[in-house]
């Protein structure tokens, strides 16, 4: 990428972060939820006017939105995202603690859905029109229209409630701190949330890989290889899989933002202590600094995923590099 391209991409990132921050603050400011009532809960009736005024002054609730935004932006430029009202810790600390759980969940789901979707899509494309192709295509279209939380509840009922194979919730056994749980215990609690995201994420990779495999099987070079006596396993391994891998890789990298959104829902279903649970708590209790921090982190992850998808597309398909250079 040229220096001009890097500068343009950095400018887009800055403008995206500013737009996300402004939009998030406007939405929070327009919310009818009383932050003090949401934070104190049922004991708000016992809160006197002086105490309430002190809380509002400490959080800056009486200041205009523009002044609050400028104060927040000034602290952000100094590397300070503020302090979470819900957790009583710096927002950076909350994000780092929660991001570790969310990123491990997303990485497992991203890898499984990519490998499984590519393999099944390749099989369906090579077997076009047969029973396996019809079953896989129907399954992919069904999952593409299924909400993540619905799939999560269904898997939770089957594997946790009925069969008892997986834990019902959390990232560690109940009564155990996440840092005290062993690796196998943490993996055991990670299986079902990761499986939920993987099952939902398989369908787009499967469908795109299937279409790419069908086009490769109908191409002239495959017909020529068949005329030379090459068998189906060799055709798939040496000629079809390589051409079908490009759209699958690009789609999988570009879907990181969608995967992040799905992880927020899956964490709610399984009470998994990641960014999804922190987002819900921050929204319900009007934790403005934490909400702003999560919004910026989410925008960064989505931007990085889309940029990786564009770079991967140029890397695997030389025609796009020629088009950009021209």
């Amino acid at each position: 990428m040229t220096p001009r391209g890097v500068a343009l991409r950095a400018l887009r990132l800055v403008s995206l972060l500013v737009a996300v921050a402004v939009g998030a603050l406007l939405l929070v400011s327009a919310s009818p939820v009383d932050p003090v009532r949401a934070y104190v809960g049922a004991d708000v009736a016992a809160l006197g006017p002086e105490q309430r005024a002190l809380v509002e002054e400490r959080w800056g609730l009486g200041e205009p939105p523009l002044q609050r935004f400028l104060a927040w932006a000034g602290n952000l430029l100094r590397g300070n995202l503020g302090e979470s009202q819900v957790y009583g810790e710096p927002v950076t600390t909350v994000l780092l603690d929660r991001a570790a759980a969310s990123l491990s969940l997303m990485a497992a789901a991203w890898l499984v859905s990519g490998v499984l979707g590519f393999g099944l899509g390749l099989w369906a494309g090579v077997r076009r029109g047969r029973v396996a192709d019809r079953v896989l295509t129907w399954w992919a279209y069904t999952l593409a229209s299924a909400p993540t939380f619905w799939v999560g509840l269904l898997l939770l009922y089957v594997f946790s409630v009925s069969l008892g194979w997986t834990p019902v919730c959390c990232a560690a056994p109940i009564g155990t701190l996440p840092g005290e749980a062993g690796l196998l215990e943490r993996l055991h609690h990670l299986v079902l949330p990761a499986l939920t995201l993987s099952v939902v994420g398989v369908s787009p990779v499967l469908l795109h890989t299937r279409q790419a495999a069908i086009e490769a099987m109908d191409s002239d070079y495959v017909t020529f290889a068949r005329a030379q006596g090459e068998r189906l396993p060799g055709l798939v391994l040496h000629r079809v899989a390589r051409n079908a891998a490009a759209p699958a890789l690009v789609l999988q990298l570009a879907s990181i933002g969608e995967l992040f959104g799905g992880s927020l829902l899956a964490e709610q279903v399984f009470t998994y202590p990641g960014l999804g649970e922190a987002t819900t708590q921050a929204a319900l209790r009007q934790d403005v600094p934490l909400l702003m921090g999560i919004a910026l982190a989410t925008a960064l992850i989505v931007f990085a995923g889309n940029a990786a998808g564009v770079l991967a597309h140029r890397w695997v398909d030389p025609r796009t590099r020629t088009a950009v250079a021209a």
Side-chain angles (χ1 to χ4, degrees):
M1 182 181 294
T2 63
R4 183 172 178 272
V6 174
L8 285 176
R9 197 165 293 277
L11 183 61
R12 290 175 185 171
L13 175 60
V14 172
S15 61
L16 172 67
L17 294 178
V18 171
V20 168
V22 172
L25 184 63
L26 290 177
L27 289 175
V28 172
S29 301
S31 172
V33 178
D34 181 2
V36 179
R37 178 183 292 276
Y39 179 74
V40 177
D43 296 332
V44 70
L47 203 65
E50 295 80 7
Q51 293 173 310
R52 186 184 182 91
L54 286 174
V55 174
E56 291 179 350
E57 182 182 0
R58 185 173 185 271
W59 290 350
L61 299 178
E63 299 173 355
L66 179 60
Q67 188 173 347
R68 294 173 62 187
F69 178 77
L70 292 177
W72 176 84
N75 292 330
L76 177 64
L77 292 178
R78 291 191 291 271
N80 180 15
L81 286 173
E83 183 175 334
S84 170
Q85 300 163 10
V86 174
Y87 297 97
E89 297 178 340
V91 171
T92 308
T93 303
V94 177
L95 290 180
L96 291 177
D97 290 343
R98 300 292 175 138
S102 291
L103 290 180
S104 61
L105 172 62
M106 290 174 57
W110 186 81
L111 188 62
V112 173
S113 63
V115 173
L116 194 61
F118 179 72
L120 293 178
L122 202 61
W123 187 21
V126 172
R127 298 291 181 182
R128 178 177 54 170
R130 299 188 180 182
V131 176
D133 176 33
R134 293 177 181 177
V135 171
L136 289 173
T137 304
W138 172 83
W139 180 59
Y141 278 121
T142 303
L143 288 179
S145 58
T148 303
F149 71 92
W150 181 81
V151 176
L153 290 174
L154 186 64
L155 295 178
L156 187 68
Y157 176 76
V158 173
F159 292 101
S160 297
V161 178
S162 299
L163 300 176
W165 290 354
T166 55
V168 176
C169 71
C170 312
I174 296 177
T176 304
L177 295 175
E180 299 174 350
L183 178 60
L184 292 179
E185 290 177 327
R186 281 183 286 178
L187 290 176
H188 192 205
H189 284 75
L190 180 67
V191 167
L192 208 53
L195 180 62
T196 300
L197 288 178
S198 302
V199 168
V200 176
V202 158
S203 54
V205 181
L206 191 156
L207 292 173
H208 281 77
T209 304
R210 173 186 178 273
Q211 184 61 33
I214 289 174
E215 293 175 359
M217 291 295 291
D218 292 340
S219 63
D220 293 338
Y221 56 84
V222 170
T223 304
F224 181 72
R226 277 179 166 165
Q228 287 186 319
E230 189 166 359
R231 295 182 177 274
L232 183 60
L235 285 175
V236 174
L237 183 62
H238 300 115
R239 307 185 188 279
V240 179
R242 183 175 181 181
N243 289 280
L249 178 62
V250 174
L251 180 66
Q252 192 67 358
L253 287 172
S255 65
I256 290 179
E258 185 179 351
L259 182 65
F260 184 79
S263 71
L264 301 184
L265 298 176
E267 289 174 10
Q268 285 302 304
V269 173
F270 297 98
T271 323
Y272 201 78
L275 287 175
E277 187 188 21
T279 304
T280 304
Q281 291 296 325
L284 292 177
R285 302 175 71 175
Q286 287 288 291
D287 190 344
V288 178
L290 184 55
L291 275 176
M292 300 287 282
I294 292 175
L296 292 185
T298 305
L300 278 174
I301 293 174
V302 173
F303 185 87
N306 290 336
V310 172
L311 294 176
H313 192 197
R314 292 178 183 176
W315 178 61
V316 299
D317 192 347
R319 293 171 297 181
T320 57
R321 293 197 295 268
T322 305
V324 172

